[in-house]
Amino acid sequence: MHAAQFQHDHLVHFYHLHALDWVDIVSALKADPKKTADLADNVSNAKVGGSAYYKQVQQRIQTFVDSGQLGPFSNAYWGHPAYKLPPEANLMACAHYIEALRLQARAARMHAVFGGKNPHPQFLVVGGITSVADLKPDRIAEFLYLQKETQEFIENVYIPDLVAVASFYKDWGAIGGTTNFLAWGEFPQGENEPESLFMPRGLINKRDLANIPLAIQEKVAENVTRAWYEDGPDLHPYKGETKPLKEDPKYRPDGGKYSWFKAPRYEGEPCEVGPLARVLVAYGKGHKEIKPLVDATLQKLGIPAAALFSTLGRTAARGLETIAIGQAMPGWIMELLENIKSGDTKTYTSWEMPDEGMGLGLNDVPRGSLGHWINIEGGKIKNYQYVVPSTWNFGPRDDKGKLGPVEEALIGTPVADAKQPLEVLRTVHSFDPCVACGVHVIDPDSNQVYKFKVI
Amino acid sequence: MEKERSFYQRLKEKGVSRRDFMKYCTALTATMGLSSSFVPKVAEVFAAPAQRPPVVWLHFAECTGCSESLLRSQYPYIDELVLEVLSVEYHETIMAAAGYQAEEQLHNAIKKYEGKFICIVEGGVGTKYNGGYGKVGGRSFLEIAKDVCPKAAAVIAYGTCATFGGIQAAAPNPGGYKGVGEAIGMKTLNIPGCPPNPINLVGTVVNYLLLGKLPDLDDMGRPMFAFGSTIHDKCPRRSHFENEEFVEEFGSEEAALGYCLYKMGCRGPETYNNCPTAKFNDGTSWPVEAGHPCIGCSQPNFWDTMTPFYEEM
């Protein structure tokens, strides 16, 4: 179920939340459908294609544009000089944007099969799962079919598109990088954790891939100096406090508080989390599925491993882990089937609420490392804290002035037109923000502050 | 006839047979509680709306799960809703514009379509500290709602947060969150749920396009076609309730037999929604089918009134 979440999330992120930072829809109208079909045949094994297909997609976009109601595509940065794709590549990507919109609705059914619905599946309870009646061959086959269809799209369309688009934006292999990376890891394949995790746990200090220590949760603390909470010391989440200021919070980026995010730190250092962190940890550890995928992609693009520390690397890593996880899924599902065959259909373990206790859960979810910490006293929750991926990535400065990862990544981004900061969007979106976040661009000539929102 | 032929031709090109499409329209018509004579008219709505109705979608305190749920619509798929049925002028998640251009787009759309656009609100509205706990582009949700909503032809509160305040309105509710209607003192059409079923939004919009008015509503502003009866009324496990066959522990034999989840804290008897008949994700399943008790996610003050979960009412 969690792997299905990765497949779905990453697909939607690439096509629907990030692609239009690189793909110019308006330019697609100028494409030659025949040449587009040739391009698509060259780069991918997409099931649908051919010049008639691309002609029809182009006509559909033209009809839409001619209607004068541009809807969600109004007022964007079409024609911006930072768009580098030829019209044919733009048309191919637009067609796949639409195909992916349909596919994701079907891919989400994987969750509904065992989880009742998507989004917000309801089948997990403390102690196990409830969908015991769905652990039958027909439901498992339904899941397998949907998974196969999704994985085929990922391998034959998403990744080829990613590589085709990336080949026009290789300069982005030197823009938007950060320094430290944290992955709690995910997908246990046995009883031992973290040893059996398919995506391994690890910490990368100062881009050092040769020496990746295990990440230890005790070393996490959050700082609230620049966040809209009552001031206090750095606290580990077990002792964490959430005391929002009792006022209309004012945005004070120059020395004051300016964010609802706390600033999480690992041994005092900010860390990027997410697909790039996971893939770098796996790559550095010589992961047998991830390493060859990364090496082959670097080779195809003709860029060095150092280019992974970038916006391009982040977007590529997301695609590559989607493939690797998708390839592992059928094996996991067959294990379930084998269990059922041998009569092991246990879905739940009884439990009792303790009067006192502490506990934690460390996972990696599509957007990155996720930790939950709970304190129980008198049979009730006394404290519950979580540090979620976007808090790591989008957290503000701390008391020592250290920048959050996204802040660091944006420094040095070339911006052709400060009024249309498309380049900034590329890096911010590459982190897959779980937030509508506010950023400011200052024009060094006029000192005029342009406010804009990244969504 | 010409128009009809070209429409079905278009569907065919997209891999949707006329039969599939009519099946969908029939299901939607039934969901909306209209007679079968409306089926061709429902089809007509998707065939060729004269001008696509403009939609302004506002995001307040939410998780975007409601938008995600709409993305899961099949028949019509979301690309058809966006490209051919509606004109989504402003929607922070799917729109290409960002920042200043996004704000400008909102401003332009409201001006151009004043009194004509459908405003769909996702998320709760903070009322404490001048609404300061939630802002977009420096303006509080409260200020944006007060500005935009009164200029719409209709305001649809989509999801439990927009309708009743949702999770951020749970005690102690530090930001003073409320549903949008209550926050700005305005009547809204309400489609609660966490998330709501996209078919209930599509049904409402089709009603609007078809009859030029919103569907019949109950006293809480919810469309009768979707919220006219409780989960319990239409639950396929109802006979187990009548026979007093209950699940008393997850993982038990009774759970495997699909017995009634009432004793596991099911809120079906007090929750108005059409989950058992509409189901989710193209009819794939719904929570009770997955063996999970209904948590009452579409009811007023969900969280405070429905917790602790898993305890009998």
Side-chain angles (χ1 to χ4, degrees):
Chain A
M1 287 289 279
H2 196 189
Q5 178 82 37
F6 273 70
Q7 287 196 302
H8 183 276
D9 259 37
H10 286 353
L11 193 73
V12 169
H13 178 266
F14 179 72
Y15 281 104
H16 309 122
L17 305 176
H18 196 24
L20 299 183
D21 299 338
W22 313 95
V23 173
D24 185 339
I25 297 183
V26 175
S27 153
L29 294 173
K30 289 186 237 138
D32 176 342
K34 173 79 175 61
K35 282 188 192 157
T36 308
D38 293 344
L39 170 72
D41 283 350
N42 246 333
V43 300
S44 79
N45 290 316
K47 266 186 186 168
V48 286
S51 54
Y53 166 75
Y54 283 107
K55 199 172 169 188
Q56 187 227 328
V57 172
Q58 195 179 38
Q59 272 171 358
R60 195 174 175 205
I61 300 171
Q62 188 70 57
T63 307
F64 178 79
V65 170
D66 291 345
S67 77
Q69 292 182 293
L70 292 181
F73 306 111
S74 307
N75 222 19
Y77 303 144
W78 314 129
H80 191 288
Y83 281 121
K84 302 287 187 206
L85 298 184
E88 284 73 24
N90 281 318
L91 179 57
M92 178 177 79
C94 286
H96 295 160
Y97 173 105
I98 296 170
E99 297 291 338
L101 265 181
R102 294 181 171 211
L103 181 86
Q104 61 81 30
R106 295 196 293 277
R109 286 185 53 219
M110 279 188 273
H111 262 191
V113 167
F114 297 123
K117 63 181 159 94
N118 171 287
H120 301 188
Q122 276 175 25
F123 74 115
L124 288 170
V125 287
V126 178
I129 63 159
T130 64
S131 49
V132 54
D134 293 310
L135 297 177
K136 287 179 188 155
D138 60 331
R139 279 302 222 189
I140 293 169
E142 189 177 357
F143 186 98
L144 271 171
Y145 172 79
L146 293 163
Q147 199 273 333
K148 183 167 167 277
E149 186 188 17
T150 308
Q151 184 68 7
E152 274 177 10
F153 190 88
I154 289 163
E155 291 184 7
N156 295 330
V157 185
Y158 171 13
I159 301 308
D161 280 355
L162 175 66
V163 173
V165 172
S167 68
F168 289 93
Y169 291 105
K170 288 183 196 172
D171 52 330
W172 282 84
I175 301 168
T178 68
T179 308
N180 307 306
F181 300 85
L182 166 74
W184 295 133
E186 189 51 85
F187 305 119
Q189 301 186 101
E191 295 297 318
N192 300 329
E193 225 174 287
E195 293 78 12
S196 76
L197 293 170
F198 178 74
M199 295 301 288
R201 182 170 302 174
L203 182 87
I204 295 170
N205 281 304
K206 300 193 168 51
R207 302 191 177 186
D208 180 5
L209 296 180
N211 174 32
I212 301 180
L214 196 65
I216 313 283
Q217 65 88 16
E218 285 87 347
K219 296 184 177 178
V220 173
E222 291 186 297
N223 181 282
V224 294
T225 310
R226 308 299 298 277
W228 287 313
Y229 301 94
E230 288 177 25
D231 285 324
D234 289 8
L235 293 172
H236 179 272
Y238 267 142
K239 301 207 165 125
E241 293 175 347
T242 304
K243 295 179 176 169
L245 295 181
K246 290 176 180 158
E247 62 187 40
D248 182 352
K250 294 290 177 287
Y251 182 69
R252 303 265 187 257
D254 303 325
K257 292 175 181 282
Y258 64 97
S259 174
W260 279 117
F261 289 120
K262 298 176 184 175
R265 297 291 181 259
Y266 186 95
E267 286 188 315
E269 295 297 325
C271 294
E272 172 175 347
V273 301
L276 181 57
R278 284 189 294 263
V279 165
L280 287 174
V281 167
Y283 186 72
K285 285 171 167 278
H287 193 282
K288 72 180 191 333
E289 281 85 15
I290 298 284
K291 187 161 190 313
L293 272 173
V294 173
D295 284 332
T297 308
L298 290 172
Q299 202 186 358
K300 215 180 270 179
L301 290 170
I303 53 173
L308 290 169
F309 297 95
S310 69
T311 296
L312 185 70
R314 193 172 295 118
T315 297
R318 183 172 290 111
L320 297 180
E321 76 165 6
T322 315
I323 290 199
I325 293 166
Q327 284 173 345
M329 283 175 76
W332 297 337
I333 302 163
M334 293 319 282
E335 266 182 57
L336 169 69
L337 206 60
E338 287 303 318
N339 287 345
I340 293 168
K341 249 168 138 175
S342 64
D344 178 6
T345 53
K346 192 165 186 246
T347 53
Y348 181 79
T349 305
S350 295
W351 57 277
E352 268 181 45
M353 182 79 165
D355 278 341
E356 313 286 326
M358 290 163 85
L360 64 98
L362 302 177
N363 289 82
D364 249 83
V365 294
R367 288 187 168 107
S369 302
L370 169 68
H372 285 236
W373 288 263
I374 187 171
N375 248 319
I376 298 168
E377 256 184 44
K380 285 185 173 170
I381 297 169
K382 188 188 175 220
N383 196 13
Y384 199 109
Q385 293 281 323
Y386 38 79
V387 184
V388 306
S390 290
T391 314
W392 281 104
N393 288 336
F394 287 79
R397 294 167 176 83
D398 55 28
D399 57 331
K400 297 176 188 70
K402 281 188 180 160
L403 304 179
V406 171
E407 294 178 324
E408 181 195 352
L410 286 173
I411 290 185
T413 304
V415 175
D417 176 359
K419 286 180 186 167
Q420 299 201 337
L422 174 63
E423 299 90 339
V424 173
L425 283 184
R426 286 178 177 166
T427 294
V428 174
H429 282 163
S430 74
F431 282 89
D432 190 4
C434 184
V435 60
C437 58
V439 276
H440 287 181
V441 172
I442 300 178
D443 183 334
D445 297 331
S446 64
N447 265 340
Q448 186 179 353
V449 178
Y450 297 106
K451 273 192 177 184
F452 62 93
K453 189 181 48 165
V454 179
I455 44 192
Chain B
M1 276 311 284
E2 184 54 39
K3 191 166 67 183
E4 189 175 279
R5 202 164 44 241
S6 67
F7 172 60
Y8 290 117
Q9 186 62 33
R10 199 154 55 84
L11 278 181
K12 205 175 149 199
E13 284 162 9
K14 289 177 195 158
V16 179
S17 72
R18 185 177 191 281
R19 194 165 160 270
D20 281 347
F21 181 71
M22 292 316 286
K23 205 173 102 189
Y24 165 73
C25 291
T26 307
L28 184 63
T29 309
T31 302
M32 290 164 61
L34 299 173
S35 80
S36 58
S37 65
F38 277 93
V39 172
K41 288 189 181 175
V42 171
E44 177 68 23
V45 164
F46 289 105
Q51 191 202 29
R52 288 175 289 129
V55 171
V56 169
W57 188 300
L58 300 175
H59 289 256
F60 295 142
E62 43 84 351
C63 70
T64 316
C66 299
S67 287
E68 286 282 346
S69 86
L70 186 63
L71 285 185
R72 307 295 183 268
S73 171
Q74 290 182 263
Y75 301 108
Y77 277 113
I78 186 72
D79 62 294
E80 290 184 290
L81 277 177
V82 168
L83 294 177
E84 276 115 21
V85 180
L86 302 172
S87 186
V88 183
E89 297 292 321
Y90 183 86
H91 184 299
E92 291 168 7
T93 315
I94 65 166
M95 71 194 294
Y100 171 74
Q101 284 79 6
E103 299 299 323
E104 187 182 60
Q105 174 61 16
L106 176 62
H107 179 78
N108 291 349
I110 293 163
K111 210 170 157 191
K112 184 172 173 190
Y113 297 111
E114 185 160 355
K116 292 180 190 137
F117 67 91
I118 303 174
C119 182
I120 301 178
V121 179
E122 174 175 0
V125 176
T127 58
K128 236 171 157 173
Y129 317 119
N130 300 321
Y133 273 17
K135 292 179 185 175
V136 179
R139 283 207 296 169
S140 72
F141 301 156
L142 187 63
E143 190 185 339
I144 297 169
K146 280 181 179 166
D147 173 27
V148 177
C149 294
K151 294 173 183 159
V155 178
I156 299 175
Y158 189 55
T160 296
C161 297
T163 305
F164 301 120
I167 186 164
Q168 46 276 319
N173 193 0
Y177 277 87
K178 293 176 178 172
V180 61
E182 194 189 343
I184 63 171
M186 193 179 157
K187 277 215 162 185
T188 55
L189 183 148
N190 298 319
I191 305 178
C194 185
N197 196 321
I199 201 168
N200 293 337
L201 180 62
V202 173
T204 300
V205 170
V206 168
N207 196 104
Y208 178 79
L209 298 178
L210 189 62
L211 306 174
K213 65 182 178 91
L214 295 167
D216 292 339
L217 307 177
D218 68 8
D219 57 356
M220 280 196 236
R222 302 174 296 193
M224 293 293 285
F225 74 80
F227 298 93
S229 56
T230 66
I231 301 278
H232 191 58
D233 287 338
K234 302 217 167 140
C235 185
R237 299 188 182 206
R238 180 64 182 262
S239 60
H240 293 301
F241 176 83
E242 305 297 343
N243 294 335
E244 298 184 15
E245 293 166 344
F246 297 106
V247 178
E248 301 204 30
E249 190 183 26
F250 293 124
S252 63
E253 197 182 323
E254 291 77 13
L257 287 166
Y259 281 3
C260 175
L261 292 159
Y262 181 77
K263 292 193 174 175
M264 299 309 290
C266 187
R267 305 295 189 244
E270 54 181 308
T271 301
Y272 286 83
N273 212 328
N274 58 353
C275 309
T277 47
K279 301 216 247 179
F280 289 86
N281 304 88
D282 197 25
T284 305
S285 190
W286 66 290
V288 168
E289 185 171 335
H292 194 285
C294 167
I295 59 172
C297 75
S298 54
Q299 283 301 103
N301 304 318
F302 165 62
W303 295 105
D304 288 350
T305 53
M306 294 297 160
T307 49
F309 298 139
Y310 312 113
E311 284 184 17
E312 194 178 328
M313 293 191 295

